[in-house]
């Protein structure tokens, strides 16, 4: 009945609010995408724009059950390096980085962390990072 909107963006929380949301069992969604060419008609940031919008809107509608973490903007993109505007991260660096980000949330007490990927070539790498976290933590 017109109550205050629960914060849905992790970046807007204070540390006590983050602690409380972890204790309440919030799911952390980490949007992941890339900077790359998309033909002549789309901006190089389109993957990030789309996945960030979808994840933030899902979190907004969740009533506090979901928090959207800040984007991981750069992804594995070696296959598009022939196009200006493309940035790539080595596959091993990308997996390690994603794993470290997810582990940081686990160490805060979050036990459900989900990567939502907006760039096809990241998918298997995100799966590997998630598998590592799942196999080595209680999350």
């Amino acid at each position: 009945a017109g109550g205050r909107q629960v914060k849905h963006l992790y970046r807007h929380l204070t540390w006590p609010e983050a602690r409380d949301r972890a204790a309440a069992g919030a799911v952390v969604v980490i949007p992941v995408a890339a900077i790359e060419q998309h033909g002549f008609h789309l901006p190089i940031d389109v993957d990030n724009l789309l996945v960030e919008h979808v994840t933030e809107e899902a979190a907004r509608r969740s009533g506090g059950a979901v928090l959207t973490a800040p984007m991981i903007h750069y992804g594995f993109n070696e296959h598009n390096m022939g196009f200006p505007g493309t940035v790539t991260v080595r596959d091993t660096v990308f997996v390690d980085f994603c794993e470290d980000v997810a582990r940081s949330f686990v160490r805060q007490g979050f036990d459900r962390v989900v990567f939502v990927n907006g760039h096809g070539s990241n998918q298997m790498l995100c799966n590997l990072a998630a598998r590592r976290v799942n196999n080595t933590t209680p999350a």
Side-chain angles (χ1 to χ4, degrees), residues 30-86:
I30 304 171
V32 181
I35 303 290
E36 67 172 344
Q37 64 79 30
H38 274 92
F40 296 107
H41 63 298
L42 291 173
I44 58 176
D45 197 33
V46 71
D47 287 350
N48 290 315
L49 294 170
L50 294 174
V51 75
E52 188 172 51
H53 175 77
V54 168
T55 56
E56 288 185 2
E57 186 62 17
R60 186 186 68 77
R61 294 180 185 196
S62 77
V66 175
L67 280 169
T68 297
M71 281 283 316
I72 295 177
H73 287 275
Y74 300 104
F76 180 71
N77 221 337
E78 192 59 40
H79 55 288
N80 281 317
M81 286 307 296
F83 294 94
T86 301

